[in-house]
Amino acid sequence: MRRFLVPRASIENASVVQPESEQDPPIHVANNSEFNPDEIQSDPALRKQIAEYAPQIQDQVRRAYILKGRTKPELEFRRTDSRAFSKSWYEKCNWIEYSDSEDAAFCFYCFLFKQPGRAEHFGFEVFTKTGFRDWKHAYRALPEHVGGLNSGHNNCVRHYDDFKSQRQSVSTKFARGTVESHRLYKIRLTSSLECVRYLIAQGLSFRGHDESTASLNKGNFLEMIDWLKDSNEEVRDAFDRGGENCKMTSGEIQKDLARCCAEEVTEMIMGELADKKFSVLIDESCNISVKEQMAVMLRYVNEGKVVERFLCLHHIKDTTSESLKLALVKLLDHYKLSISRLQGQGYDGASNMRGEFNGLQRKLLDENPHAFYVHCFAHRLQLVVVAVASSSCSYIHDFFEYISLIVTTTTSSCKKMEVLVEESHNDILERLERGEISIGRGLNQQTSLARPGDTRWGSHHKTLLRLDQMWASVIKVLSTVDANGRNPSHAAGCIEKMECFKFSLVLKFMLKLFGITNELSQLLQRRDTNIVLALELIHDVKVRLATMRDSGWESIFDEVKQFCNSKGIPVPNMDDEIPVRGRSRLEGRTITNLHYYRAEIFYVVIDKICVEMNHRFSDSNQEVIACFSCLDPKNCFSKFDVQKLSRLAEIYSADFSNSDRAILRDQLETFVLHLRNHAAFSTCKDVESLATKMVETEKHLVFPLVYKLIELALLLPVSTASVERAFSAMKIIKSKLHSTINDDWFNHLMICYTEREIFKSLDDEVITRRFQAMKARKGILPRHH
């Protein structure tokens, strides 16, 4: 026995590497006989032992861990007595895993196939339960754990190889399969997969209300299978000759295929991400089943380009910051992503997300001080628009109340909607005949009025734009409603409000103002927008607003006069005096029309929006953002500042060593001098195009520290528009007629549908291999597959 032990003198803590005793303590076996995928842990130290599961699900647990693979985090390993785990061991020992929580190494094969109650080799217990930490003697302990040909470790490896090969299973040996049966099984499986892939890509439901053979509509999946059988004789023969327990059309098979597709998509995303830094974009929304869903997206840089990928949709029962943090940490652990690699957080402005002391962003910052939080820029801009529409001045507030009343009066019934659409169509034909508008693809589409919403980005601008385009049609509908109404209505009052100079002035003015903000909103919602570009766009908008305040009144007033003349609306004399708004005529306080429209509406609204812009876009991370703005390549790097960029290396101290910080200043000076004289970089317009060009010309290898700064700048999120798009997909997949799918299946469908580009590029053979490895199947694929 002595040869199995390491001498006590050479090991400080002998309990770390002692073999397990001849009599193991009794193992508690779980009573739950159903497999729960949530129990599959990435961290080896947190896993339940295989023997603790119910015997009937132990194989399912093993397959889940085999599909998940070894846990191989790449991070700054903790040092104990100046020694630490070595990253090179992942390659030298194809069995080793690392636990970040316990700073210990484990054996993947022994964990899966260790036989409890048997002490066959050195370290058998250490590498499966307690974890190995004696890094000083690892050069000797790791080979001794592997041992000889018949060691416990190598027996586990042989069990692993046999387990992965379904042809070696007992059920397969007893089954009398032939080459022909394997071929037919492949046809059935491939046909079912083709139907699943089509339904997922189109966001369609799978199941039917009545799936019996006599049903006229058995659901999309079974109906597609029948269509394939009718159009392909080989497919029909394969299904007709298949056993009743191997048709490959059951609901469980459909879910397994969807799961395999989702896991392959996620694996490609994880492969693209590799060991890069990343940011998270998170938002919550309620689905049709009244369940709160948390959507998580990853933002990272791949070959100089910003990439945003959908990670998962997770059902949460509580939306407190602590619950959200626990859910996020659990998800990151599931996908083997360490919080130490997190470089940015992008959320909306909810208190549970952005709370300065107890919000989600603060809780993550406490664990990783470099995970800077950025409040979604598009959401901030919408808050600016809402503030202007509701509280800039009293008449602007009244104006949008009138707008809501007009929309309600003209669209509150099907009959009114039909009249509005018909009048709009006739108006378009008349304007085409007069040559006021032109024809073309996508022009003059049928539209209707939409109510502005505080949470719908750009909805205020869209409503005003449609009212302006459908002015004549709206007036005619209101007149019809007033003439044909049996009871008094608001129609006549709406016409009176619309056909006054004040309403027309505010309409044109707000169209101009919201046109500027809507253009910015559209640019902020692009996936490739980075923080430096976003700040430039916001600065440009502020400049445009200042210019409008200084010299924009005359042009808007002329436009309004022209509009009023064309609509028959009287234009008041600007020198006439009127009572002060909100005051009685008896007080005798008057002002001129010009002062009222220009000073109390035009100037007040622009000042309000400028104040709101400055308030909403003042970041707590102003120093970081200001430093990143120095990377802007415009005008031959006119903003380049070596001092500020060197400061970034101090802020991101975990990403730059002392030696890196020592040479960064010199590298920055060489970098800017070199690129200013390089013609290829003169076309760079923003930081992302600069990063892409550096990768194309391999300058990222010449200036690695500068490129790391550029990557960090691109990682900071700008908006959560990608998450909002995921919620739009959620409403397509889970609708009123498709509302009973469980959370796991819903998540798998969301992953494939949202990342359709990756999903459509998957090879059927890769998916079927994963499907076969997931669990023991009734059929076997041909050997060449």
Side-chain angles (χ1 to χ4, degrees), residues 122-315:
F122 166 80
F124 213 50
E125 178 82 4
V126 172
F127 284 94
T128 56
K129 286 187 178 181
T130 59
F132 176 80
R133 302 178 184 85
D134 187 15
W135 312 128
K136 181 178 180 181
H137 300 94
Y139 71 96
R140 181 169 52 192
L142 298 184
E144 288 196 6
H145 169 70
V146 176
L149 183 63
N150 294 318
S151 66
H153 171 84
N154 284 320
N155 285 334
C156 291
V157 173
R158 283 190 287 271
H159 284 307
Y160 172 84
D161 293 335
D162 292 340
F163 187 80
K164 285 189 67 176
S165 176
Q166 290 191 12
R167 294 181 179 276
Q168 302 298 324
S169 65
V170 175
S171 59
T172 304
K173 293 294 184 181
F174 276 102
R176 294 184 177 182
T178 63
V179 175
E180 180 66 11
S181 66
H182 297 167
R183 185 185 68 84
L184 296 176
Y185 172 75
K186 179 184 177 182
I187 293 174
R188 293 194 299 275
L189 177 57
T190 306
S191 300
S192 295
L193 177 59
E194 289 175 357
C195 296
V196 166
R197 295 189 67 164
Y198 176 81
L199 294 175
I200 291 177
Q202 299 303 315
L204 300 175
S205 59
F206 282 63
R207 309 296 297 275
H209 177 68
D210 181 7
E211 295 186 345
S212 63
T213 55
S215 175
L216 296 177
N217 186 356
K218 292 178 283 188
N220 290 330
F221 180 80
L222 293 181
E223 290 292 338
M224 286 194 68
I225 291 292
D226 289 344
W227 177 82
L228 276 177
K229 291 194 291 187
D230 292 340
S231 59
N232 191 320
E233 190 64 32
E234 187 179 30
V235 174
R236 172 181 288 278
D237 180 63
F239 276 97
D240 290 344
R241 295 170 60 185
E244 290 297 325
N245 61 349
C246 194
K247 288 288 189 182
M248 309 308 294
T249 58
S250 67
E252 184 179 354
I253 294 296
Q254 297 171 35
K255 292 179 182 179
D256 284 349
L257 287 172
R259 176 186 169 187
C260 291
C261 293
E263 289 178 351
E264 285 297 331
V265 170
T266 302
E267 187 171 309
M268 290 193 68
I269 293 174
M270 292 297 108
E272 188 178 63
L273 175 61
D275 59 347
K276 303 182 183 73
K277 305 285 186 178
F278 64 91
S279 298
V280 292
L281 306 174
I282 300 176
D283 203 354
E284 310 107 41
S285 180
C286 191
N287 63 21
I288 196 68
S289 300
V290 199
K291 287 185 176 181
E292 193 74 24
Q293 302 287 347
M294 180 177 74
V296 183
M297 299 200 73
L298 300 179
R299 178 185 175 98
Y300 53 93
V301 181
N302 185 39
E303 297 182 354
K305 297 181 180 179
V306 176
V307 181
E308 290 184 358
R309 296 292 189 191
F310 183 80
L311 183 65
C312 68
L313 191 71
H314 184 69
H315 171 52

Side-chain angles (χ1 to χ4, degrees), residues 642-708:
V642 175
Q643 184 69 29
K644 290 184 178 180
L645 292 174
S646 300
R647 170 63 182 150
L648 285 173
E650 299 175 5
I651 296 174
Y652 288 93
S653 56
D655 297 296
F656 295 88
S657 63
N658 292 331
S659 59
D660 290 339
R661 290 196 287 272
I663 64 175
L664 177 59
R665 185 181 294 271
D666 292 334
Q667 192 172 120
L668 284 168
E669 292 176 351
T670 307
F671 166 80
V672 70
L673 180 64
H674 180 74
L675 264 62
R676 281 173 176 169
N677 297 324
H678 203 297
F681 289 87
S682 60
T683 58
C684 295
K685 298 179 180 179
D686 54 29
V687 179
E688 184 177 8
S689 61
L690 172 63
T692 305
K693 184 63 69 173
M694 287 186 69
V695 173
E696 291 176 356
T697 58
E698 297 186 350
K699 298 298 181 185
H700 67 298
L701 303 177
V702 181
F703 305 104
L705 298 180
V706 180
Y707 183 73
K708 184 183 290 188

